[in-house]
Amino acid sequence: MLFKVIAKEELKRLFELLASSHTVVGPVKTGRDRTGLPLYAFDEVERFEDLSLDYAMTKIPAKRFFLPYREDMAVFEMRKDDWNKKVDYNMDRPRIFFGMHPCDINALNRLDKVLMGETYPMPYYIAKRQNTVIIGIDCTPRPYCFCRSMAADTALHGFDMFLTDIGERYFAEILSDTAFNFLRLIKTAEPAGEDHVLYKKAAAARNERFVTQVDTTDLMKILDMEFQSDVWKQWGDKCLSCGTCSNVCPTCYCYSVEATVDLKLTTARKTKMLYSCNLIDFAEVAGAHNFRPERHIRLKYRYYHKHRGFVEAYEESLCVGCGRCGESCLAGITVPEVIASVRSTL
Amino acid sequence: MLNSGRTYLGVPVSRPKVGFFDFSSCEGCQLQMVNNESTLLDFLALVQIVNFREAMTGESDDYDIAFVEGSITRPDEVDRLQAIRSRAKVLVALGSCACFGGVNQLKNRFRDLPWVKETVYGGAAVETDVVRPLHDVVTVDLMIYGCPVRKEEVEKVVTNIAIGKEIAYPKYPVCMECKANENICLFDLGEACLGPVTRAGCGAWCPGSRAGCWGCRGPADDPNMEQMKRLMQERGISEEMILDRLECFGGFCEFSDALRAEMSKENP
Ligand code: SF4
Ligand code: SF4
Ligand code: SF4
Ligand code: SF4
Ligand code: SF4
């Protein structure tokens, strides 16, 4: 593994060099909530001053730059008796993602397992994933975060370079040639013994800030035992079936497809739209039969996909513990509380 | 009714005769239909408009599809609507007034209609009754929600009729579209919003302009009204304020009536 240290003003210079020739996406401040706390989002950034590298957490994950909420999968030019199909993966040039937290990098790694796997590779995703350079950055855990419980607090791969703030400088971990070549554009130094100490201190301070935990011991087995538990009904009674949890989740990838024809009848489109297993018609099939008409059943399956089915298939959960779904859920349904209620021995 | 020589994938396309009609309303939905000139000609190539008071002179009683805007407030409107129904093969309720009574039905909220009439019209001889949606009077085949309707949605319906494609609406609530647009949630800003229970399709129009949803498209499928009420109350929004929103367009009347009844039981 290759390490470097970078002075803060040099990172600014790197950003400016990259932004002059590339599309750069990163965290920006979008306003304040009712309690005065800043709100953040990922967006295209042109000026280093607009980038908030010390951001807490974005409400919407980085997912939409890899799996847009709406995306044309194919456009058909309709001719008299036939058609011409055009497929575009909607990624016209490479992108640099400047400042992604470990949970979001791990979320992409978990998405890779499905969307870049052998069974159902999704070219629309692969095109974006492979053409995005990712510069990760460390974070300050918030009360909602439980990525540590989900083994997602450290990113081991899936990025090009990872930065940790050690005061005057950044401690950089370099994983790709691309990142290595970027760093040749600016001044960097080899880390000295004191940088290692500063890095370890920063890591320890971060660890102390995790307050929320989810006990995943034997969780698959417990979920199997508690399939008929009353707790599902209790949570289901609160659920609004609004889909917000999936929309803000960095690892939810389900989608629906709609075909539309324009008013001229000359162009047709197949458009995919990210969906949620909590929506009422998620399991509705042709003939209008609905396999999951009840809220609590749908909510339950969301948990079973994340914490049981995916674990069985890939030996890790499809939840990285970012806490976004619980924070955004207007009904106050949070992963730590739901799992704790299922585990409860009362 | 075929569209002379037009085909889609080799299959002939229909060109239905269409009439637009208005009852008690602001005519804003009809206005939506004519205000986007860039697609108007394409729209007219798909249908043959035989009745549209707001956009043309002349009228005809020979039509396949009747787009009906407005709510029913007078006995003569009942007769006229029934006549339209008897001529149209398909009757489409256009907009919130036609679907639910719309803003007009707010007056039903005052249980004393003579008083409303006296206050609004003074002594003038105006005939006005309880406000009713179209389906209270005739069979409605299709509803296009919204106050006002979105032109793109009407165009989509018409396109689907022309090529014989199924017409489907979102069953999920506005929050889905709101999140996809990456709006800041109004509740995060300390405001109220009916997005979690209102049928999507508007593209989260109001939250996109930092205004909470007032439910103009009526309830989504199986809305969780209990939780909606609870979450508003937890955030310090009074029942009266919840009712202001629920009662505004009439789509939620079943729930708002129940909530009013519950409230008067608690504080008689
Ligand atoms: S769990 Fe919460 S966010 Fe998810 S659908 Fe239910 S109410 Fe919406
Ligand atoms: S399920 Fe919730 S906590 Fe887990 S990754 Fe998704 S949004 Fe984050
Ligand atoms: S099934 Fe549900 S939880 Fe699983 S990815 Fe799809 S939307 Fe997310
Ligand atoms: S602003 Fe309204 S529609 Fe948007 S997410 Fe919040 S509650 Fe839902
Ligand atoms: S956000 Fe609500 S009130 Fe506004 S247009 Fe949509 S449904 Fe109507």
Side-chain angles (χ1 to χ4, degrees):
Chain A
M1 204 169 281
L2 201 55
F3 301 127
K4 295 273 182 205
V5 285
I6 309 170
K8 288 202 166 159
E9 58 276 18
E10 282 300 302
L11 189 74
K12 175 172 189 260
R13 221 159 66 77
L14 178 64
F15 175 91
E16 281 160 359
L17 285 166
L18 296 178
S20 67
S21 50
H22 293 81
T23 305
V24 181
V25 171
V28 295
K29 219 179 263 174
T30 54
R32 290 192 179 273
D33 72 6
R34 63 179 187 282
T35 62
L37 288 174
L39 296 162
Y40 298 99
F42 292 120
D43 208 345
E44 284 187 20
V45 192
E46 280 169 15
R47 300 181 326 148
F48 187 74
E49 293 68 39
D50 295 336
L51 199 64
S52 294
L53 286 178
D54 59 349
Y55 71 110
M57 166 78 73
T58 56
K59 288 267 170 188
I60 300 280
K63 175 168 80 174
R64 72 134 163 140
F65 292 95
F66 305 86
L67 280 178
Y69 286 106
R70 286 188 146 267
E71 180 173 27
D72 280 341
M73 304 181 82
V75 179
F76 302 83
E77 206 183 286
M78 311 307 291
R79 306 209 197 94
K80 192 154 174 24
D81 294 312
D82 67 351
W83 65 85
N84 177 33
K85 176 178 172 180
K86 281 184 285 184
V87 173
D88 185 343
Y89 298 146
N90 308 311
M91 185 69 182
D92 55 356
R93 56 191 167 136
R95 224 168 358 217
I96 298 172
F97 213 108
F98 211 102
M100 196 187 283
H101 286 164
C103 56
D104 283 347
I105 298 174
N106 280 311
L108 291 174
N109 290 343
R110 293 183 195 188
L111 281 176
D112 291 349
K113 291 189 168 178
V114 180
L115 304 174
M116 306 212 321
E118 283 167 10
T119 332
Y120 300 110
M122 154 79 80
Y124 303 86
Y125 173 83
I126 298 172
K128 298 178 190 70
R129 178 70 162 128
Q130 290 186 336
N131 287 296
T132 307
V133 174
I134 294 178
I135 301 176
I137 192 147
D138 69 328
C139 63
T140 308
R142 308 160 316 132
Y144 278 104
C145 301
F146 58 97
C147 56
R148 226 170 168 214
S149 305
M150 308 318 288
D153 55 326
T154 312
L156 300 176
H157 62 97
F159 58 90
D160 294 85
M161 172 161 79
F162 194 91
L163 303 170
T164 302
D165 191 334
I166 55 167
E168 303 292 303
R169 287 166 299 179
Y170 285 105
F171 191 98
E173 180 186 340
I174 296 140
L175 277 202
S176 76
D177 297 353
T178 313
F180 185 77
N181 288 326
F182 280 172
L183 289 186
R184 289 169 39 167
L185 301 170
I186 57 166
K187 268 192 277 174
T188 60
E190 295 302 319
E194 84 183 275
D195 296 314
H196 295 173
V197 173
L198 286 172
Y199 178 88
K200 286 189 279 184
K201 275 194 182 154
R206 173 174 178 256
N207 277 348
E208 271 172 26
R209 300 191 65 138
F210 286 108
V211 290
T212 304
Q213 263 103 40
V214 170
D215 183 0
T216 59
T217 324
D218 271 345
L219 186 56
M220 265 179 70
K221 270 185 241 167
I222 292 171
L223 283 170
D224 272 353
M225 291 174 204
E226 299 303 331
F227 193 73
Q228 304 293 356
S229 167
D230 285 342
V231 297
W232 297 116
K233 185 83 186 53
Q234 288 158 25
W235 291 112
D237 282 347
K238 297 173 121 208
C239 179
L240 296 149
S241 304
C242 66
T244 286
C245 44
S246 301
N247 275 331
V248 302
C249 178
T251 56
C252 274
Y253 52 80
C254 286
Y255 61 92
S256 71
V257 178
E258 189 189 24
T260 51
V261 182
D262 79 333
L263 209 49
K264 286 189 191 340
L265 307 186
T266 49
T267 314
R269 293 168 195 278
K270 221 177 183 179
T271 308
K272 106 191 223 288
M273 167 192 164
L274 292 193
Y275 225 64
S276 168
C277 51
N278 269 332
L279 300 185
I280 185 156
D281 56 353
F282 182 83
E284 197 175 286
V285 293
H289 179 70
N290 193 339
F291 283 96
R292 297 180 202 159
E294 294 153 291
R295 283 178 206 133
H296 73 277
I297 306 274
R298 294 195 296 274
L299 182 83
K300 173 163 80 178
Y301 274 102
R302 181 161 193 274
Y303 280 82
Y304 276 73
H305 182 212
K306 296 256 175 219
H307 301 275
R308 200 212 165 288
F310 198 87
V311 185
E312 188 173 53
Y314 299 107
E315 297 188 335
E316 61 183 350
S317 160
L318 187 62
C319 168
V320 292
C322 69
R324 283 187 180 97
C325 59
E327 193 181 359
S328 285
C329 175
L330 291 167
I333 302 172
T334 74
V335 176
E337 284 175 274
V338 171
I339 301 288
S341 70
V342 177
R343 298 191 74 96
S344 164
T345 47
L346 296 176
Chain B
M1 185 74 38
L2 289 185
N3 201 333
S4 55
R6 268 188 104 173
T7 59
Y8 181 74
L9 285 176
V11 179
V13 164
S14 69
R15 186 170 183 226
K17 285 188 188 153
V18 163
F20 282 84
F21 304 91
D22 49 79
F23 289 84
S24 300
S25 63
C26 72
E27 302 187 8
C29 286
Q30 288 186 69
L31 202 61
Q32 283 290 307
M33 300 313 305
V34 285
N35 80 359
N36 184 358
E37 284 107 1
S38 65
T39 59
L40 196 58
L41 288 179
D42 296 328
F43 188 80
L44 293 177
L46 272 191
V47 294
Q48 191 187 340
I49 298 189
V50 297
N51 238 310
F52 198 164
R53 195 180 51 77
E54 208 170 270
M56 64 186 270
T57 47
E59 52 187 283
S60 154
D61 284 342
D62 176 21
Y63 41 83
D64 306 303
I65 307 175
F67 284 92
V68 184
E69 183 198 73
S71 56
I72 305 303
T73 59
R74 293 191 315 255
D76 64 300
E77 289 186 328
V78 172
D79 299 341
R80 191 156 67 92
L81 180 61
Q82 277 165 346
I84 294 169
R85 173 71 268 189
S86 67
R87 289 181 201 119
K89 292 195 190 81
V90 178
L91 189 145
V92 184
L94 187 67
S96 298
C97 295
C99 296
F100 316 121
V103 178
N104 310 326
Q105 57 76 51
L106 265 178
K107 83 167 181 193
N108 301 354
R109 199 174 164 176
F110 305 97
R111 306 285 134 142
D112 185 356
L113 276 188
W115 174 83
V116 173
K117 201 168 152 184
E118 174 63 30
T119 311
V120 177
Y121 298 106
V126 175
E127 206 180 340
T128 173
D129 210 335
V130 172
V131 173
R132 290 190 286 165
L134 303 188
H135 65 78
D136 249 28
V137 179
V138 295
T139 305
V140 171
D141 302 304
L142 195 69
M143 304 224 203
I144 301 185
Y145 305 105
C147 179
V149 294
R150 271 175 74 223
K151 188 177 189 206
E152 303 77 56
E153 204 167 348
V154 184
E155 288 173 349
K156 194 164 147 185
V157 167
V158 167
T159 309
N160 287 1
I161 290 175
I163 61 175
K165 187 174 178 293
E166 186 201 2
I167 294 160
Y169 297 116
K171 295 180 179 173
Y172 49 78
V174 174
C175 290
M176 259 316 265
E177 295 173 338
C178 190
K179 281 284 173 276
N181 292 348
E182 299 192 56
N183 296 330
I184 295 173
C185 180
L186 268 304
F187 286 103
D188 279 337
L189 299 174
E191 286 163 44
C193 181
L194 283 187
V197 288
T198 302
R199 186 182 302 280
C202 63
W205 214 337
C206 301
S209 327
R210 294 259 172 126
C213 172
W214 282 73
C216 81
R217 303 173 73 87
D221 279 27
D222 193 25
N224 192 340
M225 298 308 293
E226 259 316 299
Q227 182 59 31
M228 187 72 231
K229 191 178 86 183
R230 217 178 297 144
L231 83 90
M232 295 263 236
Q233 284 170 335
E234 280 164 10
R235 288 162 176 79
I237 297 158
S238 71
E239 279 170 330
E240 236 3 281
M241 279 164 78
I242 302 172
L243 279 168
D244 280 346
R245 282 180 194 249
L246 288 179
E247 289 178 338
C248 189
F249 293 97
F252 288 92
C253 58
E254 196 187 309
F255 307 103
S256 51
D257 288 351
L259 183 55
R260 273 226 182 273
E262 200 182 297
M263 279 166 67
S264 56
K265 228 188 287 162
E266 279 161 20
N267 313 298

